[in-house]
Amino acid sequence: MNAIKAYGDTLNDGRVQLSFTLPVADSPKAREAARLYVRKLGFSDGEVVYAAPLEEEFTFFVAYGKTDGFIDYDEVRGVEKIDFMSFDEINEYIGDNIGRKIVVVGACTGFDAHTVGIDAIMNMKGYNHHFGLERYPMIEAYNLGAQVPNETLLSFSKEISADAVLVSQIVTQKNVHIDNLTELVELFEAEHVRNSTVLCVGGPRIDNRLALELGFDCGFGRGTYAEHVATFIVRKMVERGIA
Amino acid sequence: MKDMLGLEIKKGNKARCLAEAIVGPVREYISRHTTVSVERASLRLCGVDGMDQEGTPVPNIMANQLKAKTEHGAVRYLLGACLKKGMSVDEMSRAVADGFDISSVEIPDMALLEEEARKYVERMKTLVLENRKLRAEKILKYKSNENSPLLYVIVATGNIYEDARQAEAAVFQGADIVAVIRTTAQSLLDYVPFGATTEGFGGTYATGENFRIMRKTLDIAGEKAGKYIRLVNYASGLCMPEIAALGATERLDMMLNDSMYGVLFRDINMYRTFVDQHFSRLISSYADIIINTGEDNYLTTADAFEKGYTVLASQFINERFAFDAGMPSRLQGLGHAFEMDPDIPDGFLYEIAQAQLVRELFPECPLKYMPPTKHMSGNIFKGYVMNTMFNLVAKLTGQEIVLLGMLTEAIHTPFMQDRYLAIENARYILSNTASLSDEIIFRDGGIVQKRASEVMDRTLDFLGSVAERGLFESIEAGMFADIKRSASGGKGLEGVFEKSPDYWNPFEIMLKEELCIGGTK
Ligand code: B12
């Protein structure tokens, strides 16, 4: 057992900073309500340090709470930290283990018009001085851009026999991305290409847990670079014996 | 305007000459063409409204009935049908919703049509002039309560009634301008939906009803706060002119409206956009509505340090197109943004250089300055500091319209409290640095001046090569935002018509006369 708690300035003090709005007018009663609310959220010691009216019927609060809650760190299973390969290592790995160029298609699908994320992964130039997949000599990369219908992505992938398909989803309001991603997986399954394709999804609100839940092979969040996803793809291909 | 950059006058003049060379040939094309959206806007200005049982808006039903006849001008058929049937436009709208076809009617004599048109044109003029007057009076009355610069916030819940509540709070907190963000993908709809929106994505539709709901909310909240609160929406996408028409009649105060944004970022056909933007600007000019151009978008996909000159170049082009539509500088809210990578050493100075450059080149324009978005991250605390730096540059360089950055930009559309924090931050900076700009000068040949002059020179080079190639060809070659658009590609080209020699549009005639375009009559 390795119990951990939020750290303020003393180990295990459990201090947490909060800010929120309640739909009531600012008043001593409202502040008391905020304090009790913080307690109700599980903090043993709620202290409202700031309150300001946002309108006649809304008040903003900054509060501190102390929590007895803890987490047993030994029991937590996070995403394993992968040791990523570099640009050169990846190309060499493909040469040695797959023996041909691999084909990768990327797109930002559905109504989503954000291209910057998928471009960061795919484009020659890359992102933050990390080359994109188009630059990899052993990768044949296709970037279909944004607002690509799932059907188009599927048919294109089949046409060029893609080894891996990369999907970007930036807009997550009202969970549009969930429906869209679920549909994509279903399409790939219905056409029996799911198992022969490494399917990845990325975006600032995406993580690996969600990706696996939706039937993808891996999910990538903020701060991803091309070599991260490339490392995953090539290892997965070898593991699956796709070559 | 204080001269802080030591810029040579001739450079600004040269940029304007090049912009004229770029826009001239396009102007010629525009004058010879109309679009379905221009025609539907004209029908709306006549008072056409409503929808049929399937939800198709009546202006669209009429335009669909006319098809190729559109080249003669849709108002001719509408009023022709009204005269033949002895109906008002209201009655005719209902008849068409129930299946009546206006293209089937034989067109009466031109003299009769013109007389009938006068009624509707006068009605539209009265309505718009009343809106102008009311706005001008209220702004004058409450001027002293406004922030300087004006503080602009957005509401984007997707439900217009929730938006109204958020807007009320924003006014209470000190906002001067409220923009209602549009739901995803409206720009690609070739019709303006009808009614109130309660389930949009990241915004609501621009509709007449949504405009009215918001207008009323802001008028009431404004009276309480002792201010005139300006309402903003988007006259952009495939229905640019129609939304401008709705804005003029429903008293919007500002409209996002760019001459090239739709082409580059929404893949709308370039011919369509150029014709549409012109008519929409005629309407906004007459209605005294400030446009906000979209140069900030160049910097979301490209690097702001490298591509600062594309912003400036686009501003000169937008300015030229606006002048062509009779729009005075005081209605040209040219856009730009604070989007440099925060890791660049001296980035703050480069931002000042760009903002001051724009200020000095367009001294009469109510410049619209956009906050950091691209480099905002989950570190909301750092984001809050970046917004503070932005507010500081805005005040220092005398921007007029300042869109406030949200600390949660990288996470979600604004919470009510995010907006509060943003307004509080801005008001603190505005007051705390109220006279800063009077107190400082930039060192001759220092970092700020050097950067400004570099950006200016690159802008001139760029405008020069666009002028040489032509605007259509330059867009085809991907010279703007690295995005290539073919002249015959994109959405909406099928809605462009060459005007026939007998083309008649009483609203266009009136607007051009009132704005004194294409003549000295
Ligand atoms: C630029 C931008 C735009 C530009 C996009 C231009 C373009 N061509 O891409 C424009 C102006 C068009 C735009 C429009 C809209 N936007 Co926007 N936009 C942004 C902004 C400011 C930056 C996004 C960005 O470029 N980030 C930089 C890139 C490099 O980061 P990234 O996308 O996270 O990508 C990285 C990782 O996530 C990952 N990754 C991403 N995809 C993939 C895929 C794979 C396979 C892998 C491995 C990795 C990976 O790798 C990348 C590199 O590390 C964000 C706010 C923000 N700061 O995040 C809002 C934001 C994303 N937009 C938002 C919204 C709501 C919209 C609109 C709906 C607004 C509207 N009502 O019109 C529209 C959507 C239109 C549409 N149909 O999609 C919201 C989304 C809220 C939500 N969670 O749903 C945000 C968060 C802003 C906000 N707070 O409201 N937007």
Side-chain angles (χ1 to χ4, degrees), chain B residues 470-496:
Chain B
L471 186 54
F472 296 114
E473 295 76 8
S474 299
I475 296 175
E476 289 200 301
M479 289 174 67
F480 290 92
D482 289 326
I483 295 169
K484 288 186 184 164
R485 299 295 187 201
S486 84
S488 58
K491 297 159 194 95
L493 180 59
E494 70 287 349
V496 180

PDB file of all heavy atoms in Angstrom, chain B residues 470-496:
ATOM      1  N   GLY B 470      -2.332  38.156 -60.251  1.00  0.00           N
ATOM      2  CA  GLY B 470      -3.796  38.279 -60.199  1.00  0.00           C
ATOM      3  C   GLY B 470      -4.297  37.541 -58.975  1.00  0.00           C
ATOM      4  O   GLY B 470      -3.695  36.543 -58.546  1.00  0.00           O
ATOM      5  N   LEU B 471      -5.394  38.018 -58.429  1.00  0.00           N
ATOM      6  CA  LEU B 471      -5.882  37.446 -57.169  1.00  0.00           C
ATOM      7  C   LEU B 471      -6.377  36.012 -57.352  1.00  0.00           C
ATOM      8  O   LEU B 471      -6.053  35.123 -56.572  1.00  0.00           O
ATOM      9  CB  LEU B 471      -6.978  38.340 -56.570  1.00  0.00           C
ATOM     10  CG  LEU B 471      -7.477  37.951 -55.181  1.00  0.00           C
ATOM     11  CD1 LEU B 471      -6.339  37.832 -54.178  1.00  0.00           C
ATOM     12  CD2 LEU B 471      -8.492  38.963 -54.656  1.00  0.00           C
ATOM     13  N   PHE B 472      -7.184  35.774 -58.384  1.00  0.00           N
ATOM     14  CA  PHE B 472      -7.695  34.419 -58.614  1.00  0.00           C
ATOM     15  C   PHE B 472      -6.532  33.440 -58.737  1.00  0.00           C
ATOM     16  O   PHE B 472      -6.503  32.391 -58.105  1.00  0.00           O
ATOM     17  CB  PHE B 472      -8.534  34.367 -59.898  1.00  0.00           C
ATOM     18  CG  PHE B 472      -9.786  35.202 -59.844  1.00  0.00           C
ATOM     19  CD1 PHE B 472      -9.937  36.316 -60.675  1.00  0.00           C
ATOM     20  CD2 PHE B 472     -10.824  34.878 -58.981  1.00  0.00           C
ATOM     21  CE1 PHE B 472     -11.092  37.081 -60.637  1.00  0.00           C
ATOM     22  CE2 PHE B 472     -11.984  35.646 -58.933  1.00  0.00           C
ATOM     23  CZ  PHE B 472     -12.124  36.747 -59.766  1.00  0.00           C
ATOM     24  N   GLU B 473      -5.558  33.815 -59.557  1.00  0.00           N
ATOM     25  CA  GLU B 473      -4.429  32.921 -59.825  1.00  0.00           C
ATOM     26  C   GLU B 473      -3.566  32.732 -58.568  1.00  0.00           C
ATOM     27  O   GLU B 473      -3.026  31.648 -58.340  1.00  0.00           O
ATOM     28  CB  GLU B 473      -3.563  33.495 -60.962  1.00  0.00           C
ATOM     29  CG  GLU B 473      -4.254  33.573 -62.316  1.00  0.00           C
ATOM     30  CD  GLU B 473      -5.262  34.729 -62.425  1.00  0.00           C
ATOM     31  OE1 GLU B 473      -5.334  35.587 -61.513  1.00  0.00           O
ATOM     32  OE2 GLU B 473      -5.996  34.767 -63.436  1.00  0.00           O
ATOM     33  N   SER B 474      -3.459  33.799 -57.772  1.00  0.00           N
ATOM     34  CA  SER B 474      -2.634  33.681 -56.561  1.00  0.00           C
ATOM     35  C   SER B 474      -3.261  32.715 -55.568  1.00  0.00           C
ATOM     36  O   SER B 474      -2.563  31.944 -54.914  1.00  0.00           O
ATOM     37  CB  SER B 474      -2.474  35.049 -55.892  1.00  0.00           C
ATOM     38  OG  SER B 474      -1.830  35.937 -56.767  1.00  0.00           O
ATOM     39  N   ILE B 475      -4.583  32.778 -55.459  1.00  0.00           N
ATOM     40  CA  ILE B 475      -5.251  31.840 -54.554  1.00  0.00           C
ATOM     41  C   ILE B 475      -5.091  30.421 -55.101  1.00  0.00           C
ATOM     42  O   ILE B 475      -4.832  29.479 -54.361  1.00  0.00           O
ATOM     43  CB  ILE B 475      -6.740  32.206 -54.373  1.00  0.00           C
ATOM     44  CG1 ILE B 475      -6.862  33.576 -53.695  1.00  0.00           C
ATOM     45  CG2 ILE B 475      -7.461  31.146 -53.553  1.00  0.00           C
ATOM     46  CD1 ILE B 475      -8.282  34.097 -53.564  1.00  0.00           C
ATOM     47  N   GLU B 476      -5.200  30.282 -56.410  1.00  0.00           N
ATOM     48  CA  GLU B 476      -5.020  28.961 -57.020  1.00  0.00           C
ATOM     49  C   GLU B 476      -3.615  28.419 -56.736  1.00  0.00           C
ATOM     50  O   GLU B 476      -3.433  27.226 -56.565  1.00  0.00           O
ATOM     51  CB  GLU B 476      -5.243  29.027 -58.532  1.00  0.00           C
ATOM     52  CG  GLU B 476      -6.702  29.232 -58.906  1.00  0.00           C
ATOM     53  CD  GLU B 476      -6.998  28.827 -60.336  1.00  0.00           C
ATOM     54  OE1 GLU B 476      -6.362  29.412 -61.234  1.00  0.00           O
ATOM     55  OE2 GLU B 476      -7.864  27.952 -60.548  1.00  0.00           O
ATOM     56  N   ALA B 477      -2.655  29.317 -56.688  1.00  0.00           N
ATOM     57  CA  ALA B 477      -1.272  28.886 -56.481  1.00  0.00           C
ATOM     58  C   ALA B 477      -0.933  28.686 -55.004  1.00  0.00           C
ATOM     59  O   ALA B 477       0.192  28.349 -54.658  1.00  0.00           O
ATOM     60  CB  ALA B 477      -0.319  29.906 -57.101  1.00  0.00           C
ATOM     61  N   GLY B 478      -1.912  28.908 -54.126  1.00  0.00           N
ATOM     62  CA  GLY B 478      -1.666  28.656 -52.703  1.00  0.00           C
ATOM     63  C   GLY B 478      -0.849  29.747 -52.020  1.00  0.00           C
ATOM     64  O   GLY B 478      -0.166  29.490 -51.032  1.00  0.00           O
ATOM     65  N   MET B 479      -0.919  30.969 -52.541  1.00  0.00           N
ATOM     66  CA  MET B 479      -0.103  32.029 -51.944  1.00  0.00           C
ATOM     67  C   MET B 479      -0.653  32.539 -50.615  1.00  0.00           C
ATOM     68  O   MET B 479       0.072  33.114 -49.823  1.00  0.00           O
ATOM     69  CB  MET B 479       0.067  33.191 -52.924  1.00  0.00           C
ATOM     70  CG  MET B 479       0.976  32.796 -54.079  1.00  0.00           C
ATOM     71  SD  MET B 479       1.100  34.041 -55.356  1.00  0.00           S
ATOM     72  CE  MET B 479       1.956  35.351 -54.497  1.00  0.00           C
ATOM     73  N   PHE B 480      -1.943  32.325 -50.382  1.00  0.00           N
ATOM     74  CA  PHE B 480      -2.519  32.739 -49.107  1.00  0.00           C
ATOM     75  C   PHE B 480      -2.659  31.526 -48.190  1.00  0.00           C
ATOM     76  O   PHE B 480      -3.282  30.534 -48.576  1.00  0.00           O
ATOM     77  CB  PHE B 480      -3.896  33.383 -49.319  1.00  0.00           C
ATOM     78  CG  PHE B 480      -3.828  34.721 -49.990  1.00  0.00           C
ATOM     79  CD1 PHE B 480      -3.919  34.823 -51.371  1.00  0.00           C
ATOM     80  CD2 PHE B 480      -3.646  35.872 -49.243  1.00  0.00           C
ATOM     81  CE1 PHE B 480      -3.843  36.055 -51.992  1.00  0.00           C
ATOM     82  CE2 PHE B 480      -3.567  37.114 -49.857  1.00  0.00           C
ATOM     83  CZ  PHE B 480      -3.661  37.210 -51.243  1.00  0.00           C
ATOM     84  N   ALA B 481      -2.086  31.635 -47.005  1.00  0.00           N
ATOM     85  CA  ALA B 481      -2.218  30.614 -45.975  1.00  0.00           C
ATOM     86  C   ALA B 481      -1.787  29.219 -46.455  1.00  0.00           C
ATOM     87  O   ALA B 481      -2.218  28.205 -45.911  1.00  0.00           O
ATOM     88  CB  ALA B 481      -3.647  30.563 -45.436  1.00  0.00           C
ATOM     89  N   ASP B 482      -0.976  29.165 -47.506  1.00  0.00           N
ATOM     90  CA  ASP B 482      -0.522  27.881 -48.059  1.00  0.00           C
ATOM     91  C   ASP B 482      -1.670  26.982 -48.485  1.00  0.00           C
ATOM     92  O   ASP B 482      -1.532  25.763 -48.546  1.00  0.00           O
ATOM     93  CB  ASP B 482       0.328  27.100 -47.036  1.00  0.00           C
ATOM     94  CG  ASP B 482       1.681  27.772 -46.831  1.00  0.00           C
ATOM     95  OD1 ASP B 482       2.203  28.335 -47.810  1.00  0.00           O
ATOM     96  OD2 ASP B 482       2.186  27.739 -45.695  1.00  0.00           O
ATOM     97  N   ILE B 483      -2.828  27.589 -48.760  1.00  0.00           N
ATOM     98  CA  ILE B 483      -3.988  26.785 -49.133  1.00  0.00           C
ATOM     99  C   ILE B 483      -4.298  27.037 -50.596  1.00  0.00           C
ATOM    100  O   ILE B 483      -4.434  28.181 -51.020  1.00  0.00           O
ATOM    101  CB  ILE B 483      -5.199  27.160 -48.248  1.00  0.00           C
ATOM    102  CG1 ILE B 483      -4.908  26.775 -46.794  1.00  0.00           C
ATOM    103  CG2 ILE B 483      -6.471  26.477 -48.747  1.00  0.00           C
ATOM    104  CD1 ILE B 483      -5.894  27.320 -45.796  1.00  0.00           C
ATOM    105  N   LYS B 484      -4.370  25.957 -51.382  1.00  0.00           N
ATOM    106  CA  LYS B 484      -4.649  26.101 -52.812  1.00  0.00           C
ATOM    107  C   LYS B 484      -6.128  25.892 -53.084  1.00  0.00           C
ATOM    108  O   LYS B 484      -6.688  24.889 -52.669  1.00  0.00           O
ATOM    109  CB  LYS B 484      -3.881  25.039 -53.608  1.00  0.00           C
ATOM    110  CG  LYS B 484      -2.409  25.297 -53.672  1.00  0.00           C
ATOM    111  CD  LYS B 484      -1.725  24.291 -54.590  1.00  0.00           C
ATOM    112  CE  LYS B 484      -0.224  24.544 -54.524  1.00  0.00           C
ATOM    113  NZ  LYS B 484       0.593  23.494 -55.033  1.00  0.00           N
ATOM    114  N   ARG B 485      -6.751  26.831 -53.777  1.00  0.00           N
ATOM    115  CA  ARG B 485      -8.155  26.669 -54.152  1.00  0.00           C
ATOM    116  C   ARG B 485      -8.296  26.952 -55.640  1.00  0.00           C
ATOM    117  O   ARG B 485      -7.879  28.013 -56.098  1.00  0.00           O
ATOM    118  CB  ARG B 485      -9.047  27.659 -53.390  1.00  0.00           C
ATOM    119  CG  ARG B 485      -9.020  27.514 -51.884  1.00  0.00           C
ATOM    120  CD  ARG B 485      -9.576  26.198 -51.419  1.00  0.00           C
ATOM    121  NE  ARG B 485      -9.686  26.170 -49.959  1.00  0.00           N
ATOM    122  CZ  ARG B 485      -9.745  25.056 -49.251  1.00  0.00           C
ATOM    123  NH1 ARG B 485      -9.695  23.867 -49.848  1.00  0.00           N
ATOM    124  NH2 ARG B 485      -9.863  25.111 -47.948  1.00  0.00           N
ATOM    125  N   SER B 486      -8.895  26.021 -56.375  1.00  0.00           N
ATOM    126  CA  SER B 486      -9.030  26.255 -57.804  1.00  0.00           C
ATOM    127  C   SER B 486     -10.228  27.157 -58.056  1.00  0.00           C
ATOM    128  O   SER B 486     -11.209  27.137 -57.316  1.00  0.00           O
ATOM    129  CB  SER B 486      -9.170  24.930 -58.554  1.00  0.00           C
ATOM    130  OG  SER B 486     -10.497  24.520 -58.520  1.00  0.00           O
ATOM    131  N   ALA B 487     -10.130  27.940 -59.125  1.00  0.00           N
ATOM    132  CA  ALA B 487     -11.149  28.951 -59.407  1.00  0.00           C
ATOM    133  C   ALA B 487     -12.513  28.317 -59.642  1.00  0.00           C
ATOM    134  O   ALA B 487     -13.546  28.881 -59.299  1.00  0.00           O
ATOM    135  CB  ALA B 487     -10.740  29.787 -60.608  1.00  0.00           C
ATOM    136  N   SER B 488     -12.513  27.119 -60.221  1.00  0.00           N
ATOM    137  CA  SER B 488     -13.809  26.500 -60.512  1.00  0.00           C
ATOM    138  C   SER B 488     -14.201  25.501 -59.427  1.00  0.00           C
ATOM    139  O   SER B 488     -15.242  24.874 -59.495  1.00  0.00           O
ATOM    140  CB  SER B 488     -13.738  25.784 -61.855  1.00  0.00           C
ATOM    141  OG  SER B 488     -12.691  24.835 -61.781  1.00  0.00           O
ATOM    142  N   GLY B 489     -13.355  25.362 -58.406  1.00  0.00           N
ATOM    143  CA  GLY B 489     -13.645  24.385 -57.352  1.00  0.00           C
ATOM    144  C   GLY B 489     -14.399  25.003 -56.197  1.00  0.00           C
ATOM    145  O   GLY B 489     -14.860  26.145 -56.263  1.00  0.00           O
ATOM    146  N   GLY B 490     -14.519  24.234 -55.131  1.00  0.00           N
ATOM    147  CA  GLY B 490     -15.176  24.737 -53.929  1.00  0.00           C
ATOM    148  C   GLY B 490     -16.687  24.729 -54.064  1.00  0.00           C
ATOM    149  O   GLY B 490     -17.237  24.349 -55.100  1.00  0.00           O
ATOM    150  N   LYS B 491     -17.319  25.158 -52.978  1.00  0.00           N
ATOM    151  CA  LYS B 491     -18.768  25.061 -52.938  1.00  0.00           C
ATOM    152  C   LYS B 491     -19.442  26.334 -53.435  1.00  0.00           C
ATOM    153  O   LYS B 491     -18.962  27.429 -53.187  1.00  0.00           O
ATOM    154  CB  LYS B 491     -19.217  24.792 -51.506  1.00  0.00           C
ATOM    155  CG  LYS B 491     -18.684  23.466 -51.002  1.00  0.00           C
ATOM    156  CD  LYS B 491     -18.659  23.377 -49.488  1.00  0.00           C
ATOM    157  CE  LYS B 491     -17.818  22.199 -49.025  1.00  0.00           C
ATOM    158  NZ  LYS B 491     -16.428  22.543 -48.704  1.00  0.00           N
ATOM    159  N   GLY B 492     -20.543  26.171 -54.124  1.00  0.00           N
ATOM    160  CA  GLY B 492     -21.406  27.310 -54.417  1.00  0.00           C
ATOM    161  C   GLY B 492     -21.257  27.953 -55.776  1.00  0.00           C
ATOM    162  O   GLY B 492     -21.958  28.915 -56.076  1.00  0.00           O
ATOM    163  N   LEU B 493     -20.364  27.429 -56.643  1.00  0.00           N
ATOM    164  CA  LEU B 493     -20.204  28.063 -57.958  1.00  0.00           C
ATOM    165  C   LEU B 493     -21.503  27.993 -58.774  1.00  0.00           C
ATOM    166  O   LEU B 493     -21.816  28.897 -59.545  1.00  0.00           O
ATOM    167  CB  LEU B 493     -19.043  27.421 -58.728  1.00  0.00           C
ATOM    168  CG  LEU B 493     -18.762  27.989 -60.116  1.00  0.00           C
ATOM    169  CD1 LEU B 493     -18.432  29.476 -60.064  1.00  0.00           C
ATOM    170  CD2 LEU B 493     -17.606  27.245 -60.807  1.00  0.00           C
ATOM    171  N   GLU B 494     -22.260  26.899 -58.578  1.00  0.00           N
ATOM    172  CA  GLU B 494     -23.506  26.760 -59.348  1.00  0.00           C
ATOM    173  C   GLU B 494     -24.505  27.858 -59.001  1.00  0.00           C
ATOM    174  O   GLU B 494     -25.453  28.092 -59.744  1.00  0.00           O
ATOM    175  CB  GLU B 494     -24.117  25.363 -59.161  1.00  0.00           C
ATOM    176  CG  GLU B 494     -24.711  25.068 -57.778  1.00  0.00           C
ATOM    177  CD  GLU B 494     -23.658  24.867 -56.669  1.00  0.00           C
ATOM    178  OE1 GLU B 494     -22.460  24.745 -56.988  1.00  0.00           O
ATOM    179  OE2 GLU B 494     -24.049  24.861 -55.478  1.00  0.00           O
ATOM    180  N   GLY B 495     -24.262  28.550 -57.903  1.00  0.00           N
ATOM    181  CA  GLY B 495     -25.165  29.638 -57.513  1.00  0.00           C
ATOM    182  C   GLY B 495     -24.729  31.002 -58.030  1.00  0.00           C
ATOM    183  O   GLY B 495     -25.233  32.024 -57.579  1.00  0.00           O
ATOM    184  N   VAL B 496     -23.767  31.031 -58.960  1.00  0.00           N
ATOM    185  CA  VAL B 496     -23.309  32.315 -59.518  1.00  0.00           C
ATOM    186  C   VAL B 496     -23.907  32.496 -60.916  1.00  0.00           C
ATOM    187  O   VAL B 496     -23.888  31.572 -61.723  1.00  0.00           O
ATOM    188  CB  VAL B 496     -21.766  32.344 -59.611  1.00  0.00           C
ATOM    189  CG1 VAL B 496     -21.293  33.673 -60.195  1.00  0.00           C
ATOM    190  CG2 VAL B 496     -21.146  32.105 -58.249  1.00  0.00           C
TER     191      VAL B 496
END
